[in-house]
Amino acid sequence: MVLVGGIYHTDADKLLRTNTDVVALERPSSEQIAAALADADGAIVRYPYRIDDKVLAGAKRLVAVASSGRGTDSIDVPACTRHGVVVVNNPGFGTVPVSEHAIALMLALSRRLIERGKAIRSGGAWDKRTDLDVLDLYSRTLGIVGLGLIGSEMTRKCIAAFSLNVLTYDPYVPASKAEALGATMLTDLDELLERSDFVSMHCELNDGSRGMIGEAQLRRMRPHAFLINTSRGKVVQQKALEKALAERWIAGAALDVFEDEPLAESSTLFKFDNLLLTPHVAGLSGDALRALANSAVTQLLRALSGERPKNVVNPPAWDAAMARRAAAA
């Protein structure tokens, strides 16, 4: 078993080591990953390390690969399918922490907490308490892009807690899902952007969502509006967002995810005083980390024992993977 980039919780690490021999790669190159996989029957991979054709070429005994979290950004799923390797992920565990984090970012932006904190530290804050345009959340309009588990939880909480008018956009789900939550489903992303005071991104990263928020979309947002992204970095075009922030097309933004991670110390994003940044931690509460890690280990061990895991991302690879397992036995 190869553990690429570590695992989120020590309990799961102990469970894994109790049931199999583990090769742990902390900061591996693709060549080191390939060498370790050559003799492995399973692997757990943590972003940003990659499982792709290059490292799969010599992995003749590999049966299954598990993502450390929900996303499979680190795993080339079509390549795994071609090689007959099962891919499993761990959906559902980030629903509560990510929605809470997104709400925290929305509150921080609306209450201008970045500016307030800087002002009180630099002096003179007490004489400038009314200088900033602070928005109350109550009865404002929130646009939710992506109405999956997290987007739905965000919708539910924001309506219940703040009486927000929630607009949603998701071409993959029916309007009835939004209606059941008390929200309004729109079929036009531009309309959502034009009507919202806050836009919160909760979509999957796929061919339809990659780069979906660019210059044209940001120009449609209101000048007092805020953009929040806790989904995937590549759904927002970073250069376009930088331009929008610099020229004040929008009031500000908050990012937990980025086009390239980890964010470079020289990143131009650091220069914007109307941008709140967190290091891809929205889903990393203690409870969620334990659950994610245990799910990854449990599902992988299940696949290696010949039992089909709950969350197989590429079902067509199952038979080939089981044939490889039988041949190696």
Side-chain angles (χ1 to χ4, degrees), residues 136-212:
D136 293 329
L137 293 189
Y138 180 77
S139 75
R140 296 280 180 179
T141 297
L142 168 65
I144 298 282
V145 181
L147 198 62
L149 292 173
I150 297 171
S152 296
E153 181 69 3
M154 182 80 169
T155 298
R156 185 190 66 78
K157 285 175 176 171
C158 287
I159 292 174
F162 305 109
S163 297
L164 279 162
N165 170 40
V166 178
L167 307 175
T168 64
Y169 172 79
D170 192 328
Y172 302 101
V173 304
S176 58
K177 183 175 182 180
E179 293 168 4
L181 292 165
T184 301
M185 178 69 78
L186 301 179
T187 59
D188 186 353
L189 176 60
D190 288 346
E191 182 182 356
L192 179 144
L193 297 171
E194 291 166 358
R195 292 174 56 183
S196 298
D197 301 302
F198 303 90
V199 175
S200 191
M201 306 299 296
H202 297 286
C203 51
E204 300 274 359
L205 179 62
N206 54 37
D207 290 342
S209 66
R210 190 181 301 273
M212 70 186 301

Side-chain angles (χ1 to χ4, degrees), residues 69-81:
R70 184 193 188 284
T72 55
D73 301 34
S74 289
I75 304 170
D76 186 334
V77 177
C80 285
T81 303

Side-chain angles (χ1 to χ4, degrees), residues 5-326:
I7 198 166
Y8 286 133
H9 201 275
T10 55
D11 288 352
D13 186 75
K14 292 177 183 176
L15 176 63
L16 187 63
R17 294 176 187 275
T18 298
N19 288 276
T20 186
D21 294 328
V22 175
V23 175
L25 305 177
E26 293 300 327
R27 295 179 181 274
S29 64
S30 60
E31 290 77 15
Q32 289 171 321
I33 297 172
L37 291 184
D39 296 317
D41 53 3
I44 297 176
V45 59
R46 185 171 174 178
Y47 187 88
Y49 304 104
R50 292 281 295 165
I51 301 295
D52 52 22
D53 269 317
K54 181 178 180 180
V55 303
L56 290 169
K60 304 303 182 183
R61 300 179 62 236
L62 194 65
V63 172
V65 174
S67 167
S68 63
R70 184 193 188 284
T72 55
D73 301 34
S74 289
I75 304 170
D76 186 334
V77 177
C80 285
T81 303
R82 289 193 299 272
H83 287 271
V85 176
V86 168
V87 177
V88 297
N89 70 342
N90 312 283
F93 299 106
T95 301
V96 169
V98 175
S99 62
E100 290 183 358
H101 193 90
I103 291 171
L105 295 176
M106 184 166 62
L107 283 165
L109 290 170
S110 68
R111 306 305 299 180
R112 304 283 189 169
L113 296 187
I114 302 173
E115 295 95 330
R116 298 294 193 194
K118 289 180 178 177
I120 199 167
R121 284 175 169 79
S122 61
W126 301 100
D127 297 326
K128 301 176 182 179
R129 288 182 294 166
T130 61
D131 287 359
L132 294 174
D133 182 17
V134 173
L135 297 181
D136 293 329
L137 293 189
Y138 180 77
S139 75
R140 296 280 180 179
T141 297
L142 168 65
I144 298 282
V145 181
L147 198 62
L149 292 173
I150 297 171
S152 296
E153 181 69 3
M154 182 80 169
T155 298
R156 185 190 66 78
K157 285 175 176 171
C158 287
I159 292 174
F162 305 109
S163 297
L164 279 162
N165 170 40
V166 178
L167 307 175
T168 64
Y169 172 79
D170 192 328
Y172 302 101
V173 304
S176 58
K177 183 175 182 180
E179 293 168 4
L181 292 165
T184 301
M185 178 69 78
L186 301 179
T187 59
D188 186 353
L189 176 60
D190 288 346
E191 182 182 356
L192 179 144
L193 297 171
E194 291 166 358
R195 292 174 56 183
S196 298
D197 301 302
F198 303 90
V199 175
S200 191
M201 306 299 296
H202 297 286
C203 51
E204 300 274 359
L205 179 62
N206 54 37
D207 290 342
S209 66
R210 190 181 301 273
M212 70 186 301
I213 302 297
E215 183 171 329
Q217 290 73 33
L218 289 163
R219 285 187 179 278
R220 290 186 177 275
M221 292 179 64
R222 297 178 173 188
H224 67 266
F226 297 97
L227 177 71
I228 300 154
N229 188 15
T230 56
S231 60
R232 286 293 182 264
K234 289 183 172 61
V235 305
V236 176
Q237 297 176 33
Q238 185 172 306
K239 291 301 181 184
L241 179 60
E242 290 181 6
K243 188 173 183 181
L245 294 171
E247 298 182 9
R248 303 283 171 166
W249 307 345
I250 61 176
L255 303 177
D256 183 57
V257 290
F258 308 92
E259 282 187 339
D260 295 303
E261 297 183 9
L263 193 61
E265 293 182 3
S266 60
S267 174
T268 51
L269 290 173
F270 293 128
K271 71 180 182 180
F272 297 101
D273 59 7
N274 53 346
L275 176 62
L276 178 58
L277 304 172
T278 57
H280 203 152
V281 294
L284 304 186
S285 69
D287 292 337
L289 290 175
R290 181 183 294 105
L292 282 168
N294 283 330
S295 173
V297 170
T298 300
Q299 290 200 90
L300 192 59
L301 292 175
R302 185 170 294 162
L304 297 183
S305 71
E307 183 182 351
R308 190 181 182 108
K310 179 181 178 181
N311 300 304
V312 176
V313 177
N314 57 343
W318 179 254
D319 289 343
M322 291 302 98
R324 178 182 289 107
R325 173 182 173 274

